[in-house]
Amino acid sequence: MKLKDRVAIITGGARGIGRATSIMLSKEGAKIVIIDIKEKEGLETKNNIEKSGGDAFFCKADITIEEEVKLAVYEAMKKYKRLDILVNNAGWGKGKSFHDMDTELRDKILDINLTGVFNVTHAVLPYLIKQNSGKIINIGSGAGTIGAGNESIYSAAKAGVFGFTKALAREVGKNNINVNAIAPGLIDTELLQENYEGSKKLFDYIKRNTPLKRIGKPEDIAAGILYLASEDSSFMTGQVISINGGLTMT
């Protein structure tokens, strides 16, 4: 097992990429802490992991609210006595042109996709520094590398995640902490299904122009997260890995 007895916090772990990651890391021996606002789905994921012989803990928290995040991380530390891996996966978007976007929607997208990453990382980092070890994996989006029409604020937030990843990697490398990011392409999640009708033309265009000619599965991203969470990537930090079926190539 690649992650035996490691403790992994996964934000947005209740469904989609987060759920697939929680299950995959658990199968590799990790103890899973799911932080999510979706209590029903979060508990279902926790119970599924436990039924398969894993160890999981659910904390209901809104990552945009600093005090809720601090309490969730404290509860996780109290239960498991250590933290090893942080997957900043929680995210949300809504396609809308910048011209038509109101301040409330703009701030919500920024808060969930960027400020939430800051909040959770800030709460977890002192424990990793004290242990002199850790893995931080930030989930961005291809929109953060190339931009996406009608997703200007989402693209900006995810680009911010990548900049934060690289800067933090420079700061905490001396503490034996690896900080990397993944830029997923189009992935078949509940969020995609919720937004599909409004972005049908965009999604169809992406599928047609992806060399592998398919939409990604949550497990495709979870496999990349597993690599970054394990010792297989011990000499990698400050990197952004694109997992998108070849849609973009650098």
Side-chain angles (χ1 to χ4, degrees):
M1 289 187 173
K2 292 180 181 289
L3 304 177
K4 183 173 174 55
D5 295 328
R6 303 286 179 84
V7 179
I9 289 181
I10 302 169
T11 68
R15 63 180 195 166
I17 291 170
R19 178 176 58 212
T21 300
S22 297
I23 292 169
M24 190 173 291
L25 268 55
S26 174
K27 288 180 179 178
E28 288 294 332
K31 299 171 182 176
I32 305 299
V33 178
I34 298 166
I35 295 179
D36 207 303
I37 59 173
K38 298 182 182 301
E39 186 170 12
K40 180 176 180 289
E41 293 99 324
L43 290 173
E44 286 173 354
T45 300
K46 170 187 177 292
N47 292 336
N48 287 339
I49 290 172
E50 291 176 339
K51 287 176 183 177
S52 298
D55 190 340
F57 180 57
F58 173 74
C59 291
K60 183 179 181 181
D62 183 337
I63 63 169
T64 70
I65 301 175
E66 191 174 10
E67 290 307 314
E68 289 191 16
V69 169
K70 287 180 179 179
L71 180 59
V73 172
Y74 171 78
E75 292 294 332
M77 187 67 186
K78 186 168 70 171
K79 179 174 177 63
Y80 291 120
K81 312 304 180 189
R82 65 177 294 118
L83 300 174
D84 301 284
I85 300 159
L86 169 60
V87 182
N88 279 309
N89 165 73
W92 182 82
K94 183 176 179 62
K96 197 166 190 178
S97 71
F98 181 72
H99 179 265
D100 293 327
M101 184 173 293
D102 58 42
T103 302
E104 183 179 0
L105 179 58
R106 180 199 67 190
D107 290 348
K108 181 178 179 179
I109 292 171
L110 285 172
D111 283 348
I112 294 173
N113 293 289
L114 187 57
T115 304
V117 172
F118 297 159
N119 287 342
V120 183
T121 304
H122 196 262
V124 170
L125 194 57
Y127 299 109
L128 303 186
I129 291 174
K130 186 175 182 179
Q131 291 171 186
N132 198 45
S133 67
K135 302 271 192 171
I136 298 174
I137 301 116
N138 297 321
I139 308 305
S141 167
T145 61
I146 63 173
N150 288 328
E151 292 189 349
S152 55
I153 302 303
Y154 181 79
S155 298
K158 293 301 188 178
V161 168
F162 297 147
F164 174 64
T165 296
K166 295 174 183 181
L168 187 63
R170 293 185 184 278
E171 289 185 24
V172 300
K174 64 182 180 295
N175 303 108
N176 196 34
I177 298 169
N178 304 75
V179 188
N180 292 290
I182 290 177
L186 197 63
I187 307 298
D188 188 9
T189 64
E190 291 90 343
L191 183 60
L192 176 68
Q193 297 302 324
E194 290 167 4
N195 289 336
Y196 184 77
E197 287 306 319
S199 303
K200 186 177 186 300
K201 289 183 179 179
L202 172 63
F203 294 160
D204 288 346
Y205 172 84
I206 292 172
K207 283 189 287 183
R208 286 197 308 271
N209 289 277
T210 297
L212 293 181
K213 301 300 180 188
R214 70 173 176 88
I215 292 178
K217 300 175 293 185
E219 289 76 14
D220 293 324
I221 308 304
I225 293 170
L226 173 59
Y227 170 69
L228 293 175
S230 75
E231 289 307 302
D232 292 342
S233 61
S234 62
F235 197 53
M236 178 182 290
T237 199
Q239 304 303 308
V240 177
I241 300 175
S242 293
I243 302 178
N244 60 21
L247 180 64
T248 61
M249 301 182 188
T250 57

PDB file of all heavy atoms in Angstrom, residues 14 16 32 45 61-62 82 88-89 117-118 147 151 160 167 201 206 214 218 224 236:
ATOM      1  N   ALA A  14     -17.139  14.657  -0.974  1.00  0.00           N
ATOM      2  CA  ALA A  14     -18.425  13.965  -0.927  1.00  0.00           C
ATOM      3  C   ALA A  14     -18.835  13.368  -2.263  1.00  0.00           C
ATOM      4  O   ALA A  14     -19.546  12.358  -2.310  1.00  0.00           O
ATOM      5  CB  ALA A  14     -19.518  14.928  -0.442  1.00  0.00           C
ATOM      6  N   GLY A  16     -18.029  13.353  -6.931  1.00  0.00           N
ATOM      7  CA  GLY A  16     -17.174  13.693  -8.060  1.00  0.00           C
ATOM      8  C   GLY A  16     -15.733  13.262  -7.879  1.00  0.00           C
ATOM      9  O   GLY A  16     -15.438  12.153  -7.417  1.00  0.00           O
ATOM     10  N   ILE A  32      -9.008   8.684   5.765  1.00  0.00           N
ATOM     11  CA  ILE A  32      -9.586   9.769   4.972  1.00  0.00           C
ATOM     12  C   ILE A  32     -10.429  10.718   5.815  1.00  0.00           C
ATOM     13  O   ILE A  32     -11.304  10.290   6.565  1.00  0.00           O
ATOM     14  CB  ILE A  32     -10.462   9.188   3.843  1.00  0.00           C
ATOM     15  CG1 ILE A  32      -9.672   8.199   2.978  1.00  0.00           C
ATOM     16  CG2 ILE A  32     -11.041  10.327   2.997  1.00  0.00           C
ATOM     17  CD1 ILE A  32      -8.466   8.785   2.270  1.00  0.00           C
ATOM     18  N   THR A  45     -20.228   8.668   1.321  1.00  0.00           N
ATOM     19  CA  THR A  45     -18.865   8.325   0.910  1.00  0.00           C
ATOM     20  C   THR A  45     -18.085   7.738   2.077  1.00  0.00           C
ATOM     21  O   THR A  45     -17.366   6.736   1.926  1.00  0.00           O
ATOM     22  CB  THR A  45     -18.156   9.577   0.368  1.00  0.00           C
ATOM     23  OG1 THR A  45     -18.880  10.078  -0.753  1.00  0.00           O
ATOM     24  CG2 THR A  45     -16.731   9.238  -0.071  1.00  0.00           C
ATOM     25  N   ALA A  61     -18.215  21.346   6.694  1.00  0.00           N
ATOM     26  CA  ALA A  61     -17.646  22.683   6.818  1.00  0.00           C
ATOM     27  C   ALA A  61     -17.683  23.371   5.468  1.00  0.00           C
ATOM     28  O   ALA A  61     -17.562  22.737   4.417  1.00  0.00           O
ATOM     29  CB  ALA A  61     -16.204  22.622   7.337  1.00  0.00           C
ATOM     30  N   ASP A  62     -17.829  24.668   5.518  1.00  0.00           N
ATOM     31  CA  ASP A  62     -17.784  25.519   4.335  1.00  0.00           C
ATOM     32  C   ASP A  62     -16.366  26.076   4.235  1.00  0.00           C
ATOM     33  O   ASP A  62     -15.919  26.813   5.119  1.00  0.00           O
ATOM     34  CB  ASP A  62     -18.810  26.650   4.487  1.00  0.00           C
ATOM     35  CG  ASP A  62     -18.891  27.560   3.266  1.00  0.00           C
ATOM     36  OD1 ASP A  62     -17.911  27.615   2.489  1.00  0.00           O
ATOM     37  OD2 ASP A  62     -19.927  28.216   3.091  1.00  0.00           O
ATOM     38  N   ARG A  82      -2.364  13.103  13.568  1.00  0.00           N
ATOM     39  CA  ARG A  82      -1.410  13.587  12.586  1.00  0.00           C
ATOM     40  C   ARG A  82      -2.141  13.888  11.283  1.00  0.00           C
ATOM     41  O   ARG A  82      -3.266  13.418  11.066  1.00  0.00           O
ATOM     42  CB  ARG A  82      -0.283  12.586  12.332  1.00  0.00           C
ATOM     43  CG  ARG A  82      -0.739  11.270  11.703  1.00  0.00           C
ATOM     44  CD  ARG A  82       0.445  10.344  11.410  1.00  0.00           C
ATOM     45  NE  ARG A  82       1.332  10.871  10.395  1.00  0.00           N
ATOM     46  CZ  ARG A  82       2.624  11.176  10.624  1.00  0.00           C
ATOM     47  NH1 ARG A  82       3.157  10.999  11.820  1.00  0.00           N
ATOM     48  NH2 ARG A  82       3.381  11.639   9.647  1.00  0.00           N
ATOM     49  N   ASN A  88      -6.761  19.880  -1.924  1.00  0.00           N
ATOM     50  CA  ASN A  88      -7.683  21.008  -2.064  1.00  0.00           C
ATOM     51  C   ASN A  88      -8.479  20.804  -3.347  1.00  0.00           C
ATOM     52  O   ASN A  88      -8.115  21.301  -4.421  1.00  0.00           O
ATOM     53  CB  ASN A  88      -6.903  22.319  -2.115  1.00  0.00           C
ATOM     54  CG  ASN A  88      -6.499  22.822  -0.751  1.00  0.00           C
ATOM     55  OD1 ASN A  88      -7.327  22.923   0.157  1.00  0.00           O
ATOM     56  ND2 ASN A  88      -5.224  23.133  -0.586  1.00  0.00           N
ATOM     57  N   ASN A  89      -9.568  20.073  -3.220  1.00  0.00           N
ATOM     58  CA  ASN A  89     -10.346  19.681  -4.386  1.00  0.00           C
ATOM     59  C   ASN A  89     -11.642  20.475  -4.551  1.00  0.00           C
ATOM     60  O   ASN A  89     -12.122  20.639  -5.669  1.00  0.00           O
ATOM     61  CB  ASN A  89     -10.678  18.183  -4.290  1.00  0.00           C
ATOM     62  CG  ASN A  89     -11.768  17.776  -5.257  1.00  0.00           C
ATOM     63  OD1 ASN A  89     -11.562  17.691  -6.463  1.00  0.00           O
ATOM     64  ND2 ASN A  89     -12.966  17.529  -4.721  1.00  0.00           N
ATOM     65  N   VAL A 117      -9.078  27.571  -0.884  1.00  0.00           N
ATOM     66  CA  VAL A 117      -7.772  26.902  -0.907  1.00  0.00           C
ATOM     67  C   VAL A 117      -6.835  27.549   0.106  1.00  0.00           C
ATOM     68  O   VAL A 117      -6.118  26.859   0.848  1.00  0.00           O
ATOM     69  CB  VAL A 117      -7.168  26.957  -2.324  1.00  0.00           C
ATOM     70  CG1 VAL A 117      -5.732  26.431  -2.332  1.00  0.00           C
ATOM     71  CG2 VAL A 117      -8.019  26.159  -3.303  1.00  0.00           C
ATOM     72  N   PHE A 118      -6.847  28.877   0.146  1.00  0.00           N
ATOM     73  CA  PHE A 118      -6.033  29.577   1.142  1.00  0.00           C
ATOM     74  C   PHE A 118      -6.434  29.168   2.560  1.00  0.00           C
ATOM     75  O   PHE A 118      -5.574  28.878   3.417  1.00  0.00           O
ATOM     76  CB  PHE A 118      -6.197  31.098   1.001  1.00  0.00           C
ATOM     77  CG  PHE A 118      -5.724  31.684  -0.290  1.00  0.00           C
ATOM     78  CD1 PHE A 118      -6.204  32.920  -0.720  1.00  0.00           C
ATOM     79  CD2 PHE A 118      -4.815  31.033  -1.093  1.00  0.00           C
ATOM     80  CE1 PHE A 118      -5.777  33.482  -1.906  1.00  0.00           C
ATOM     81  CE2 PHE A 118      -4.370  31.586  -2.294  1.00  0.00           C
ATOM     82  CZ  PHE A 118      -4.862  32.815  -2.696  1.00  0.00           C
ATOM     83  N   GLY A 147      -7.571  29.617 -20.150  1.00  0.00           N
ATOM     84  CA  GLY A 147      -8.757  30.463 -20.134  1.00  0.00           C
ATOM     85  C   GLY A 147      -9.935  29.753 -20.760  1.00  0.00           C
ATOM     86  O   GLY A 147      -9.771  28.868 -21.596  1.00  0.00           O
ATOM     87  N   GLU A 151     -16.194  31.945 -18.607  1.00  0.00           N
ATOM     88  CA  GLU A 151     -15.717  31.494 -17.291  1.00  0.00           C
ATOM     89  C   GLU A 151     -14.499  32.321 -16.883  1.00  0.00           C
ATOM     90  O   GLU A 151     -13.504  31.789 -16.403  1.00  0.00           O
ATOM     91  CB  GLU A 151     -15.372  30.002 -17.318  1.00  0.00           C
ATOM     92  CG  GLU A 151     -16.587  29.109 -17.503  1.00  0.00           C
ATOM     93  CD  GLU A 151     -16.269  27.632 -17.310  1.00  0.00           C
ATOM     94  OE1 GLU A 151     -15.079  27.276 -17.240  1.00  0.00           O
ATOM     95  OE2 GLU A 151     -17.211  26.838 -17.222  1.00  0.00           O
ATOM     96  N   GLY A 160      -4.956  31.505 -10.242  1.00  0.00           N
ATOM     97  CA  GLY A 160      -4.448  31.883  -8.934  1.00  0.00           C
ATOM     98  C   GLY A 160      -4.009  30.682  -8.114  1.00  0.00           C
ATOM     99  O   GLY A 160      -3.004  30.728  -7.395  1.00  0.00           O
ATOM    100  N   ALA A 167       4.363  29.286  -5.587  1.00  0.00           N
ATOM    101  CA  ALA A 167       4.944  30.130  -4.554  1.00  0.00           C
ATOM    102  C   ALA A 167       5.083  29.378  -3.226  1.00  0.00           C
ATOM    103  O   ALA A 167       6.121  29.456  -2.560  1.00  0.00           O
ATOM    104  CB  ALA A 167       4.093  31.390  -4.370  1.00  0.00           C
ATOM    105  N   LYS A 201     -22.580  23.583 -26.033  1.00  0.00           N
ATOM    106  CA  LYS A 201     -21.729  23.824 -27.196  1.00  0.00           C
ATOM    107  C   LYS A 201     -20.251  23.755 -26.831  1.00  0.00           C
ATOM    108  O   LYS A 201     -19.433  23.187 -27.565  1.00  0.00           O
ATOM    109  CB  LYS A 201     -22.059  25.179 -27.819  1.00  0.00           C
ATOM    110  CG  LYS A 201     -23.397  25.224 -28.528  1.00  0.00           C
ATOM    111  CD  LYS A 201     -23.621  26.575 -29.187  1.00  0.00           C
ATOM    112  CE  LYS A 201     -24.950  26.613 -29.928  1.00  0.00           C
ATOM    113  NZ  LYS A 201     -25.194  27.942 -30.555  1.00  0.00           N
ATOM    114  N   ILE A 206     -15.118  20.686 -26.842  1.00  0.00           N
ATOM    115  CA  ILE A 206     -13.966  20.101 -26.150  1.00  0.00           C
ATOM    116  C   ILE A 206     -13.841  18.617 -26.467  1.00  0.00           C
ATOM    117  O   ILE A 206     -12.740  18.112 -26.751  1.00  0.00           O
ATOM    118  CB  ILE A 206     -14.080  20.337 -24.630  1.00  0.00           C
ATOM    119  CG1 ILE A 206     -13.919  21.827 -24.311  1.00  0.00           C
ATOM    120  CG2 ILE A 206     -13.031  19.519 -23.870  1.00  0.00           C
ATOM    121  CD1 ILE A 206     -14.198  22.190 -22.876  1.00  0.00           C
ATOM    122  N   ARG A 214     -12.743  11.454 -25.540  1.00  0.00           N
ATOM    123  CA  ARG A 214     -13.685  11.127 -24.483  1.00  0.00           C
ATOM    124  C   ARG A 214     -13.601  12.161 -23.376  1.00  0.00           C
ATOM    125  O   ARG A 214     -12.607  12.890 -23.258  1.00  0.00           O
ATOM    126  CB  ARG A 214     -13.436   9.732 -23.910  1.00  0.00           C
ATOM    127  CG  ARG A 214     -12.168   9.572 -23.087  1.00  0.00           C
ATOM    128  CD  ARG A 214     -12.123   8.199 -22.421  1.00  0.00           C
ATOM    129  NE  ARG A 214     -10.897   7.925 -21.693  1.00  0.00           N
ATOM    130  CZ  ARG A 214     -10.686   8.244 -20.416  1.00  0.00           C
ATOM    131  NH1 ARG A 214     -11.622   8.888 -19.720  1.00  0.00           N
ATOM    132  NH2 ARG A 214      -9.545   7.939 -19.823  1.00  0.00           N
ATOM    133  N   PRO A 218     -13.728  10.727 -13.055  1.00  0.00           N
ATOM    134  CA  PRO A 218     -13.132  11.170 -11.788  1.00  0.00           C
ATOM    135  C   PRO A 218     -11.916  10.338 -11.388  1.00  0.00           C
ATOM    136  O   PRO A 218     -10.958  10.867 -10.820  1.00  0.00           O
ATOM    137  CB  PRO A 218     -14.288  11.003 -10.790  1.00  0.00           C
ATOM    138  CG  PRO A 218     -15.519  11.199 -11.611  1.00  0.00           C
ATOM    139  CD  PRO A 218     -15.200  10.562 -12.941  1.00  0.00           C
ATOM    140  N   GLY A 224      -3.961  10.563 -10.635  1.00  0.00           N
ATOM    141  CA  GLY A 224      -2.911  11.574 -10.586  1.00  0.00           C
ATOM    142  C   GLY A 224      -2.681  12.085  -9.178  1.00  0.00           C
ATOM    143  O   GLY A 224      -1.539  12.331  -8.764  1.00  0.00           O
ATOM    144  N   MET A 236       9.239  15.907  -6.689  1.00  0.00           N
ATOM    145  CA  MET A 236       8.435  16.804  -7.523  1.00  0.00           C
ATOM    146  C   MET A 236       7.744  17.831  -6.641  1.00  0.00           C
ATOM    147  O   MET A 236       7.067  17.481  -5.681  1.00  0.00           O
ATOM    148  CB  MET A 236       7.379  16.011  -8.307  1.00  0.00           C
ATOM    149  CG  MET A 236       6.473  16.879  -9.167  1.00  0.00           C
ATOM    150  SD  MET A 236       5.198  15.914 -10.028  1.00  0.00           S
ATOM    151  CE  MET A 236       6.210  15.047 -11.208  1.00  0.00           C
TER     152      MET A 236
END
